[in-house]
Amino acid sequence: MKKTAQNQYKKKYHIASDKSLAIEVQALTKRYNPDVLALNGLTFSINRGEIFGLIGPNGAGKSTAVKIMTTLSRPSQGKIRLYNIDATQYPKKARHLFGYVAQQSGVDGESTGRENLMLQGRLYGLRGLRLRERVGQLLTQFNLIEAADRLTKTYSGGMQRKLDLAMGLIHRPQLLFLDEPTTGLDPEARTSLWKMIHHLAEEEGLTVLLTTHYLEEADQLCNRMAIIDQGKVVKQGTAGELKAELNGDVVHMEITETITESRATTILQDISGLDEIIVEASTLYVRTNRGAEQLPTLINAIKSANIEVQSATISRPSLDDVYLRHTGRIFAENEEV
Ligand SMILES: Nc1ncnc2c1ncn2[C@@H]1O[C@H](COP(=O)(O)OP(=O)(O)OP(=O)(O)O)[C@@H](O)[C@H]1O
Ligand SMILES: [Mg+2]
């Protein structure tokens, strides 16, 4: 492209200077109605080739953010750039850049895997040999070649999800949005999908944004992640960075009754060296540098307040602890069953 043409293109599609970014989300707000502010200044950016996770409690705004990024919904305020294209202003232009795999499967059960892919390809303007070759390539890549000509209603959940993923990739996008890609899959199918997503980013340079209800998924798969709560980012970084902010040990204690955080703080107030006390119903989380040493003292203090300790464990901080710290909720409570 000649320089003047390049400048005109840049001007037209608001191309920013930073070429290393795949997604820039700036101060996004979304108000569904006067009472629901689903996004409240959501800001983050994702590098090209990165797998990035959005994690957060139910209603945090994850799906709303994905719908806006994929141009299916408009923000009340804020900006989104996908590969430097202003997606709110030029949604059509942006749509060719990405594939989107929604939380609910988009596979038609009354058609075969191959037919589903052919139809998806046609929607993106692929025809003839090019389309057939691309479909064959994806069926092979996702280990669906043997099942290609069977109705997809006979597929397992894992196979359907693979087909969803293949459909999202038919037009060779640079960016893939996955809204809860592995929810409802058994552990084996989940691991198999992780491998495929990892391969796509690593070998093919695809940028992936996923939302997940599984912290383990974010830990295993994502280069970086953002914890979002009430429509904004409360913490972001690599899994290691997030865990590193919690030094020392975490003591988890199950007690026989539900108590408030202020009561727990009062009960434990004479014990020195406790960095943080969080209470979630009848579980106490205490962060300290000397977990093993302080465990008997902690248990005695609780017993002295006439509360029974049912179990106590000491562990290194996990992503669950980071999540609890920033959202005030236990992650497991958010998992859909
Ligand atoms: N179409 C809509 N109309 C009105 N309110 C909505 C709509 N969609 C979402 N909301 C509200 O916006 C907030 C954010 O919802 P969203 O679906 O983005 O959360 P989420 O993080 O994806 O949650 P989950 O983990 O349960 O999928 C919630 O309070 C939800 O009730
Ligand atoms: Mg959601």
Side-chain angles (χ1 to χ4, degrees):
M1 211 187 283
K2 280 200 178 136
K3 225 178 177 117
T4 41
Q6 241 174 19
N7 285 340
Q8 274 169 0
Y9 182 87
K10 278 187 180 178
K11 213 170 161 192
K12 187 166 177 202
Y13 296 114
H14 287 210
I15 290 187
S17 54
D18 195 340
K19 291 201 172 65
S20 64
L21 294 179
I23 302 180
E24 289 174 87
V25 170
Q26 283 168 10
L28 220 55
T29 63
K30 175 75 180 180
R31 191 177 280 286
Y32 280 113
N33 59 50
D35 300 329
V36 183
L37 185 62
L39 297 180
N40 183 16
L42 188 75
T43 300
F44 63 87
S45 52
I46 304 179
N47 299 316
R48 296 185 183 187
E50 204 168 32
I51 304 179
F52 191 90
L54 282 184
I55 53 182
N58 290 123
K62 303 179 296 296
S63 292
T64 301
V66 172
K67 278 182 208 143
I68 294 175
M69 285 185 277
T70 52
T71 74
L72 296 171
S73 166
R74 288 190 66 78
S76 307
Q77 275 176 330
K79 282 225 166 262
I80 297 154
R81 267 195 284 268
L82 303 179
Y83 278 75
N84 285 333
I85 290 175
D86 185 328
T88 22
Q89 219 168 350
Y90 304 104
K92 267 196 191 153
K93 184 84 193 162
R95 267 173 218 149
H96 278 272
L97 286 168
F98 62 79
Y100 169 50
V101 179
Q103 188 176 340
Q104 297 299 326
S105 174
V107 169
D108 171 18
E110 298 300 331
S111 305
T112 66
R114 194 186 303 276
E115 285 164 354
N116 269 281
L117 281 164
M118 294 289 285
L119 177 64
Q120 184 75 3
R122 279 189 208 107
L123 293 176
Y124 278 96
L126 295 174
R127 299 282 183 271
L129 184 63
R130 241 178 101 214
L131 173 60
R132 286 199 301 279
E133 277 181 358
R134 180 66 180 144
V135 166
Q137 199 178 36
L138 286 166
L139 287 167
T140 309
Q141 185 175 355
F142 286 89
N143 294 330
L144 291 169
I145 200 81
E146 277 174 30
D149 299 308
R150 255 170 49 199
L151 293 187
T152 60
K153 64 181 177 192
T154 67
Y155 283 17
S156 68
M159 287 162 79
Q160 283 195 12
R161 217 54 190 141
K162 281 181 193 168
L163 183 61
D164 270 316
L165 209 63
M167 284 164 69
L169 293 169
I170 193 91
H171 58 301
R172 300 180 191 276
Q174 298 174 46
L175 178 59
L176 190 63
F177 290 98
L178 304 171
D179 200 356
E180 299 197 24
T182 66
T183 299
L185 296 188
D186 60 65
E188 202 185 321
R190 186 175 299 161
T191 316
S192 155
L193 217 66
W194 287 353
K195 277 193 193 144
M196 286 175 170
I197 297 169
H198 196 264
H199 177 90
L200 289 166
E202 195 86 330
E203 305 296 325
E204 300 184 22
L206 195 76
T207 307
V208 180
L209 181 139
L210 58 91
T211 73
T212 182
H213 272 257
Y214 303 105
L215 268 185
E216 193 201 346
E217 182 158 286
D219 202 358
Q220 297 262 334
L221 198 56
C222 298
N223 306 105
R224 288 191 309 127
M225 63 197 77
I227 298 176
I228 73 170
D229 194 22
Q230 295 177 12
K232 55 175 179 284
V233 173
V234 291
K235 189 74 201 169
Q236 65 176 312
T238 62
E241 280 164 0
L242 264 53
K243 287 179 206 166
E245 74 170 61
L246 300 176
N247 309 315
D249 304 312
V250 180
V251 181
H252 294 195
M253 286 177 287
E254 274 305 319
I255 55 174
T256 46
E257 57 187 87
T258 301
I259 61 170
T260 62
E261 211 151 271
S262 65
R263 172 127 194 258
T265 308
T266 310
I267 293 170
L268 303 176
Q269 67 186 353
D270 293 331
I271 305 174
S272 61
L274 304 185
D275 293 323
E276 199 165 27
I277 300 166
I278 301 176
V279 180
E280 176 72 36
S282 59
T283 309
L284 257 64
Y285 296 80
V286 179
R287 198 157 55 81
T288 166
N289 270 331
R290 296 173 290 130
E293 202 181 307
Q294 285 188 315
L295 188 60
T297 323
L298 286 164
I299 293 176
N300 282 337
I302 294 165
K303 278 188 178 161
S304 307
N306 288 324
I307 299 170
E308 279 298 309
V309 178
Q310 282 184 316
S311 66
T313 54
I314 303 170
S315 54
R316 296 284 307 141
S318 68
L319 271 186
D320 295 79
D321 298 307
V322 181
Y323 185 88
L324 172 70
R325 183 169 193 229
H326 289 288
T327 66
R329 269 156 288 202
I330 296 174
F331 194 81
E333 285 183 353
N334 300 296
E335 287 201 6
E336 278 169 7
V337 277

